[in-house]
């Protein structure tokens, strides 16, 4: 190996020799492969030709034998003898004479024709052998043999089959014996010897010494002797070629024959003979020329490689001699003798190398003279850097310690002395962890030290011990010290964070105090608000004068407005504390949108604003997310848009794009035609407690929290919010959220089974608002209606006057040229339009003057809902009355029969007397007679006296609060024996619901109490 690494000539010769051998091997392999492939194709062609020859000879032999049998059956003497045998009894002398003559004739045929094994005649009825060249077979019946049944119908060849008598393979030809009139006298049958067939198959045609051909029947049985004289017929012979041919496939290939020898074979199925013919030759014999060719190429290549190696050796010696001279000079130069020069022996590349080496040596000599001066300068510079670094460490305000790989302290700066109390003399040379990490901190310190020795950076908060035993909180940073690629130790920095931790603790305490204050204030405000809103709601349910109803409505509205402020402050507190949790549940997006629009529709109608919503076709119908928070953002933006818009419209548009297979990004835009926002005020819109300006706050009110909360909710839902506005023109708030995809979303709303009723109908739409007009047209055309739309009532009236026919007309209630009622009256005055169904398109809960007089068939409300429009179209076109969806209830009517339908024994646990009265009054209006308990102890005492189905449990009560009372109830009674506990509390902060459920309560209602939530809780109690 050493000779190899030190000798250039050896390596050059070896490399060239190896390259030559690889090239020769590759050429030989390719030549062998190509020759083998060519030989294989040539052998396939020759074997196929041989198979064609043998197939033709075999068919000609069978055809010759068939013609001979037919000729025998037509001989007059044979017909005469057979007729006599068939018409005379066996005892008749003429029968014996005919039998002897026919038997002698057939025996002579068998003697002269070696292919004929046996010739016999069968009676037409019964298939009895009456004459045979094998007398022992006479009298036997062959009525079920195929050659008899088929031979009666015409000449038939029963291909090779095992003889039931001799068990040897045979082939039978049968033909009917007919008289001169064509009547069948009997059947002449001949069993053929297969010797000639074997001769045809075994005959050699010069393909090769190992060539053989053989036949196999459907049962994979040999039916001919093989090339080497096989006479046995073993059953179940299987090879790839045999199996393919037996299954009717003709082809050729390389496979192993019945003897286990690799062969090249051609196989085909002889359908006429029902035999498989295989012609094969051993692969060794077939591919032998290719092997000889490869051997010749290999020998020639080896000889060429040897000659090339010899030439390379001679060339290498010529190259190596000047290189060795340069090497000797380089050795002398390396020993320090810079006066030596390499001899230039040639003018080629090696000579150039020698001159370059001499130039380098000369330059080294000149550089060496200045090297010592540079070393002195560099040493001085390093010394200054060392002193600078030491000064930094010594004067650093944080403790800096260096230690070796053995964890022993190498340096200890003054800040470390001040932090831990050890002097430098006391610390240096001692193990760092034994100095400052004792007791519980030692295990952690050992783990950090081990990680540092592995080259890891450590950054952690930890506790360490001073010399006097006191504990100090530190921020620890440990980094490895690496010199020339090898670790030599670590630098550990300790920063005293005791004051920082104390400040953080104070901040956390202040935050907890703020949360407690918000929770207390929320509870204390919600408790009287429950009475204010609840009692005003009950009062609205009584008979009041209009003035009284107005005053009570103002009280309730003001209470709900105050509750909205409280909820905004609560939500903002949750978000600031990072405790806002989002629901992830599937919901119908269109229902969420329509629900948000319904909440603001009345306010929009009161200001005569058009309210609309457009949803792109690609928006999924059902998504996974938090519908409550999404609705909260939409309602906030819609309320703002309506608040700051005096005329025009407010439009919500929804689009989406797929992020991946599991997520969609929904894009919502709320556009209004309001006062707009100045450009210099856009930057503070999303800041808490911020308004555009003070005049806006005074005129429109608001806390300035709505947009801040909405913006943060969008961020929590994976999206963003931004605004575009032009003062005096309008504003568009756009926000995005990321939602999941429901695997099987509900089907999108379509006309469904009502589609045939709408197809081809003509619809007239008259609305000056382009958005609402476009929505009606979009939906109607999707359902197959022919739609004509216009913003001008006069244009619509002109269409009707000129004779345009329509099946239905939708008229906006308020338009500049002519209102909907006036347009309807004008249409009714047209003779051919008096029966035209008319639909009024009006804002929610607004009845226009003249609507009844014009006999409108239906009222379509704004904001437009796709389902409502479909209902109106189908119902009006069918001639039925449309259910009025516009009449919103003036007050919330309670179901006084609920107690009859859902009988429950109810206990109210409430310490506030006003809230007691409110709860009892609401339950009374539902038909229930409830009992009251003032605290948790009274609740348990009441449960001891009698059984209740539901306990409406306040949380904050004297003596025993609701949480502890729930725990004691769950501990004393089994789930099936105790009542269902519903928390009714003013605690509505994050986590209050979870606390109630963890205490054992079954449901939760926050104050102020909403009757629909109370009804839902009672309904769930009966189901449970």
């Amino acid at each position: 190996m050493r000779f190899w690494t030190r000798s250039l000539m050896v390596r050059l010769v070896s490399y060239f020799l190896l390259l030559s051998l690889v090239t020769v091997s590759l050429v030989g392999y390719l030549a062998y492969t190509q020759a083998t492939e060519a030989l294989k194709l040539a052998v396939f062609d020759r074997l196929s030709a041989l198979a064609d020859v043998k197939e033709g000879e075999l068919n000609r032999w069978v055809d010759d034998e068939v013609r001979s049998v037919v000729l025998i059956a037509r001989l007059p003497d044979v017909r005469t003898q057979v007729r006599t045998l068939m018409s005379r009894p066996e005892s008749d002398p003429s029968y014996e004479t005919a039998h002897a003559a026919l038997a002698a004739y057939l025996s002579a045929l068998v003697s002269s024709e070696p292919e004929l094994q046996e010739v016999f005649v069968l009676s037409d009825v019964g298939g009895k052998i009456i004459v045979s060249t094998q007398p022992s077979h006479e009298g036997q019946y062959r009525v079920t043999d195929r050659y008899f049944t088929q031979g009666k119908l015409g000449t038939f060849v029963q291909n090779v089959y095992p003889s039931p008598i001799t068990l040897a393979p045979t082939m039978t030809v049968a033909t009917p014996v007919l008289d001169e009139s064509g009547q069948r006298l009997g059947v002449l049958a001949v069993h053929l010897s297969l010797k000639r067939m074997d001769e045809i198959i075994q005959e050699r045609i010069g393909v090769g010494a190992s060539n053989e051909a053989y036949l196999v029947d459907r049962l994979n049985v040999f039916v001919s002797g093989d090339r080497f004289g096989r006479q046995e017929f073993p059953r179940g012979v299987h090879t790839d070629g045999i199996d393919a041919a037996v299954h009717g496939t003709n082809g050729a290939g390389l496979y192993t024959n019945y003897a286990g020898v690799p062969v090249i074979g051609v196989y085909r199925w002889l359908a006429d003979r029902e035999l498989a013919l295989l012609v094969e030759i051993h692969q060794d014999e077939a591919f032998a020329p290719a092997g000889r060719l490869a051997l010749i190429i290999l020998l020639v290549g080896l000889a060429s490689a040897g000659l090339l190696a010899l030439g390379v050796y001679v060339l290498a010696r010529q190259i190596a001699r000047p290189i060795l001279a340069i090497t000797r000079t380089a050795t002398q130069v390396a020993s320090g003798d810079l006066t030596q020069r390499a001899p230039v022996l040639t003018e080629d590349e090696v000579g150039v190398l020698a001159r370059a080496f001499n130039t380098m040596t000369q330059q080294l000599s000149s550089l060496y003279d200045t090297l010592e001066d540079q070393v002195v300068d560099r040493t001085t510079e390093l010394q200054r850097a060392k002193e600078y670094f030491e000064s930094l460490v010594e004067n650093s305000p944080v403790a800096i310690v260096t230690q070796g790989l053995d964890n022993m302290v190498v340096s200890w700066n003054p800040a470390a002395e001040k932090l831990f109390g050890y002097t430098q003399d006391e610390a240096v040379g001692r193990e760092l962890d034994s100095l400052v990490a004792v007791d519980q901190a030692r295990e952690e310190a050992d783990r950090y030290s081990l990680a540092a020795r592995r080259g890891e950076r450590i950054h952690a908060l930890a506790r360490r011990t001073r010399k006097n035993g006191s504990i100090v909180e530190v921020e620890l940073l440990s980094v490895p010290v690496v010199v020339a690629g090898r670790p030599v130790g670590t630098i550990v920095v300790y920063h005293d964070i005791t004051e920082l931790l104390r400040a953080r603790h104070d901040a956390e305490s202040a935050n907890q105090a703020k949360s407690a204050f918000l929770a207390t204030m929320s509870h204390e405000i919600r408790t009287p608000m429950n009475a204010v809103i609840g009692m005003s709601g009950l009062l609205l349910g009584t008979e009041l004068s209009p003035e009284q109803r107005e005053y009570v409505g103002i009280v309730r509205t003001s209470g709900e407005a105050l509750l909205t402020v409280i909820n905004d402050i609560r939500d903002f507190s949750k978000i600031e504390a990072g405790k806002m949790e989002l629901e992830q549940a599937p919901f119908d997006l269109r229902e969420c949108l329509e629900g948000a629009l319904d909440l603001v529709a009345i306010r929009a109608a009161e200001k005569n604003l058009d309210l609309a919503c457009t949803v792109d076709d690609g928006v999924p119908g059902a998504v996974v997310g938090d519908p409550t928070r999404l609705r909260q953002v939409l309602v906030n933006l819609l309320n703002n848009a309506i608040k700051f818009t005096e005329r025009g419209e407010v439009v919500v548009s929804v689009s989406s794009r797929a992020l991946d297979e599991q997520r969609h990004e929904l894009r919502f835009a709320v556009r209004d035609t309001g006062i707009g926002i100045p450009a210099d005020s856009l930057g503070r819109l999303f800041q808490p407690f911020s308004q555009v300006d003070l005049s806006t706050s005074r005129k429109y009110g608001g806390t300035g929290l709505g947009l801040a909360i909405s913006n943060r909710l969008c961020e929590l839902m994976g999206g963003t919010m931004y605004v575009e506005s032009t003062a005096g023109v309008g504003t568009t708030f756009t926000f995005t959220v990321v939602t999941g995809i429901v695997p099987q979303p509900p089907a999108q709303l379509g006309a469904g089974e009502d589609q045939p009723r709408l197809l081809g109908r003509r619809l007239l739409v008259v609305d000056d608002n382009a958005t609402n007009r476009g929505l009606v047209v979009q939906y109607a055309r999707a359902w197959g209606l022919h739609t004509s739309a216009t913003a001008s009532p006069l244009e619509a009236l002109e269409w009707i006057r000129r004779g345009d026919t329509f099946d239905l007309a939708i008229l906006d209630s308020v338009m500049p040229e002519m209102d909907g009622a006036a347009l309807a009256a004008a249409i009714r005055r047209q003779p051919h339009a008096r029966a035209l169904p008319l639909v009024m398109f009006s804002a929610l809960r607004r009845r226009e003057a003249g609507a009844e007089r014009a006999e409108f068939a239906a009222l379509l409300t704004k904001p437009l809902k796709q389902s409502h429009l479909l209902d109106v179209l189908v119902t009006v076109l069918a001639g039925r009355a449309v259910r009025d969806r516009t009449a919103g209830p003036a007050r919330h009517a309670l179901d006084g029969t609920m107690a009859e339908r859902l009988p429950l024994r109810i206990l109210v646990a409430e310490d506030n007397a006003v809230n007691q009265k409110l709860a009892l009054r609401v339950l009374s209006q539902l038909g229930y007679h409830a009992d009251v308990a003032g605290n948790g102890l009274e609740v348990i005492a009441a449960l001891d006296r009698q059984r209740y189905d539901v306990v409406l449990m306040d949380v904050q009560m004297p003596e025993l609060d609701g949480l502890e009372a729930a725990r004691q109830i769950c501990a004393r009674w089994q789930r099936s024996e105790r009542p269902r506990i519903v928390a009714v509390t003013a605690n509505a902060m994050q986590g209050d619901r979870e606390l109630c459920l963890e205490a054992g309560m079954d449901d939760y209602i926050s104050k102020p109490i909403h009757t629909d939530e109370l009804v839902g809780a009672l309904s769930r109690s009966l189901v449970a």
Side-chain angles (χ1 to χ4, degrees), residues 105 140 222 541 649 693 726 836 866 951 966-967 978 1011:
Y105 178 72
Q140 296 179 0
F222 283 120
E649 63 181 3
D693 55 42
T726 302
L836 175 63
Q866 191 179 21
V951 176
R967 295 187 186 98
R978 70 171 178 84
T1011 54

Side-chain angles (χ1 to χ4, degrees), residues 84-395:
T84 302
L85 293 175
M86 294 301 172
S87 60
R88 299 286 191 276
E90 294 183 3
S91 58
D92 192 318
S94 61
Y95 179 91
E96 292 182 358
T97 303
H99 179 276
L102 184 57
Y105 178 72
L106 295 180
S107 297
L109 282 176
V110 171
S111 299
S112 61
E113 297 290 339
E115 286 84 2
L116 306 180
Q117 267 188 338
E118 180 184 4
V119 182
F120 52 97
V121 177
L122 300 97
S123 63
D124 183 60
V125 178
K128 179 181 178 181
I129 299 177
I130 57 176
V131 178
S132 175
T133 57
Q134 298 290 336
S136 60
H137 295 167
E138 293 180 358
Q140 296 179 0
Y141 290 88
R142 294 290 183 262
V143 67
T144 59
D145 288 358
R146 285 184 64 201
Y147 59 78
F148 172 70
T149 58
Q150 298 294 327
K152 292 172 62 177
L153 303 177
T155 304
F156 172 71
V157 178
Q158 183 170 357
N159 288 314
V160 179
Y161 67 98
S163 172
I165 299 175
T166 65
L167 299 180
T170 186
M171 180 184 294
T172 302
V173 180
T175 188
V177 180
L178 307 176
D179 60 11
E180 291 78 0
S181 64
Q183 294 294 322
R184 187 172 60 244
L185 301 175
V187 176
L188 175 66
V190 177
H191 289 324
L192 298 177
S193 171
L194 301 184
K195 182 178 180 181
R196 176 54 186 162
M197 183 180 71
D198 288 346
E199 291 175 352
I200 292 172
I201 296 302
Q202 296 178 16
E203 183 178 3
R204 299 190 182 186
I205 309 183
V207 175
S210 61
N211 169 240
E212 64 173 331
Y214 52 89
L215 297 171
V216 180
D217 64 11
R218 285 189 179 275
L219 300 178
N220 291 63
V221 177
F222 283 120
V223 297
S224 66
D226 60 24
R227 182 181 178 91
F228 305 103
R230 290 171 53 91
Q231 297 300 323
E232 71 275 11
F233 297 91
R235 293 187 173 273
V237 178
H238 291 277
T239 67
D240 292 343
I242 292 175
D243 291 342
V246 168
H247 285 87
T249 302
N250 296 336
L254 281 69
Y255 54 88
T256 303
N257 70 359
Y258 60 86
V261 177
V263 297
I264 300 177
V266 172
Y267 47 85
R268 60 184 58 181
W269 177 249
L270 309 181
D272 292 340
R273 305 283 76 84
E274 296 180 327
L275 296 174
L277 172 62
L278 292 97
V279 182
E280 299 169 344
I281 185 173
H282 291 184
Q283 292 183 20
D284 291 343
E285 181 181 1
F287 295 148
R292 290 192 295 271
L293 175 62
L295 179 60
I296 293 172
I297 293 174
L298 180 61
L299 293 176
V300 171
L302 290 175
S304 301
L307 293 175
L308 180 62
L310 180 60
V312 169
Y313 175 75
V314 174
L315 178 62
R317 283 184 57 86
Q318 295 178 356
I319 295 174
R321 186 168 62 87
I323 292 177
L324 290 175
I326 296 173
T327 302
R328 289 191 295 269
T329 304
T331 303
Q332 294 172 345
V333 171
S335 63
D337 187 3
L338 298 179
T339 61
Q340 295 294 326
R341 297 293 182 268
V344 180
L345 302 178
T346 62
E347 297 299 327
D348 54 12
E349 289 84 353
V350 178
V352 174
L353 175 62
R355 293 190 181 90
F357 178 81
N358 292 336
T359 302
M360 179 192 68
T361 304
Q362 185 176 357
Q363 291 175 350
L364 283 176
S365 179
S366 61
L367 291 174
Y368 183 78
D369 296 336
T370 60
L371 181 59
E372 291 186 356
D373 295 337
Q374 293 178 356
V375 169
V376 172
D377 293 341
R378 183 59 177 164
T379 302
T380 302
E381 182 180 349
L382 290 175
Q383 182 64 30
R384 285 197 300 266
K386 179 176 179 295
E387 293 174 356
Y388 176 76
F389 173 75
E390 290 176 349
S391 176
L392 287 178
V393 172
E394 290 295 318
N395 295 285

Side-chain angles (χ1 to χ4, degrees), residues 547-821:
E547 185 178 7
Q548 290 171 332
R549 183 170 298 281
E550 180 182 1
Y551 293 161
V552 175
I554 292 173
V555 171
R556 183 177 179 87
T557 301
S558 299
E560 291 177 346
L562 180 57
L563 183 62
T564 300
V565 173
I566 296 171
N567 289 337
D568 283 347
I569 296 175
R570 180 197 62 188
D571 288 344
F572 183 73
S573 175
K574 289 180 184 178
I575 293 173
E576 287 296 303
K579 296 181 179 180
M580 176 65 74
E581 296 180 359
L582 298 180
E583 180 184 5
Q584 289 296 318
F587 66 93
D588 189 292
L589 181 60
R590 190 176 295 277
E591 289 183 2
C592 180
L593 290 168
E594 293 177 351
L597 292 171
D598 287 343
L599 292 175
V600 301
I602 295 177
R603 290 189 58 204
E606 291 172 350
K607 300 183 70 173
N608 290 329
L609 298 176
D610 284 310
L611 186 62
C613 177
T614 63
V615 181
D616 288 356
D617 293 337
V619 176
V623 295
V624 177
D626 192 330
T628 302
R629 296 303 176 186
L630 178 58
R631 187 183 298 111
Q632 179 180 349
V633 175
L634 285 169
V635 170
N636 180 269
L637 295 179
L638 287 168
N639 277 327
N640 285 345
I642 294 171
K643 180 193 300 184
F644 296 106
T645 303
E646 298 302 327
R647 66 180 60 86
E649 63 181 3
V650 175
V651 180
V652 179
S653 59
V654 187
S655 60
S656 74
R657 67 183 182 94
L659 298 179
D660 51 44
E661 296 180 356
Q662 302 296 328
R663 298 182 304 152
H664 263 269
E665 182 186 69
L666 302 181
R667 182 181 180 275
F668 300 84
V670 179
R671 176 179 58 82
D672 64 55
T673 56
I675 62 175
I677 304 171
D680 57 355
S681 301
L682 293 176
R684 58 176 182 270
L685 272 183
F686 301 115
Q687 297 177 5
F689 306 104
S690 175
Q691 296 279 10
V692 174
D693 55 42
L694 294 178
S695 63
T696 300
S697 178
R698 287 193 298 269
K699 180 177 179 180
Y700 297 100
T703 62
L705 282 177
L707 287 177
I709 294 172
S710 298
N711 183 40
R712 296 295 296 274
L713 287 176
C714 290
E715 292 174 353
L716 291 175
M717 290 187 285
T720 59
M721 179 179 289
Y722 58 92
V723 61
E724 298 171 326
S725 182
T726 302
V729 177
T731 303
T732 301
F733 280 89
T734 304
F735 69 93
T736 60
V737 297
V738 176
T739 62
I741 300 176
V742 177
Q744 294 181 346
Q748 297 294 319
L749 181 63
E753 61 183 10
D754 296 318
Q755 186 85 15
R757 303 181 187 177
L758 303 180
L759 286 174
R761 297 297 188 97
R762 293 181 56 82
L763 174 65
L764 173 62
V765 181
V766 186
D767 193 335
D768 63 315
N769 183 273
T771 303
N772 284 322
R773 186 173 69 250
L775 280 176
V776 174
V777 171
Q778 175 186 347
Y779 294 150
R781 288 178 177 172
W783 296 328
L785 284 87
H786 298 299
T787 306
S788 298
T790 178
S792 171
L794 297 179
E795 184 180 14
L797 192 59
E798 179 61 27
W799 290 348
I800 294 176
R801 286 173 179 167
R802 74 186 184 191
D804 292 354
T805 59
F806 300 97
D807 298 303
L808 179 66
I810 297 177
L811 312 180
D812 187 22
S813 60
V814 179
M815 293 180 287
E817 296 176 349
M818 180 186 300
D819 63 23

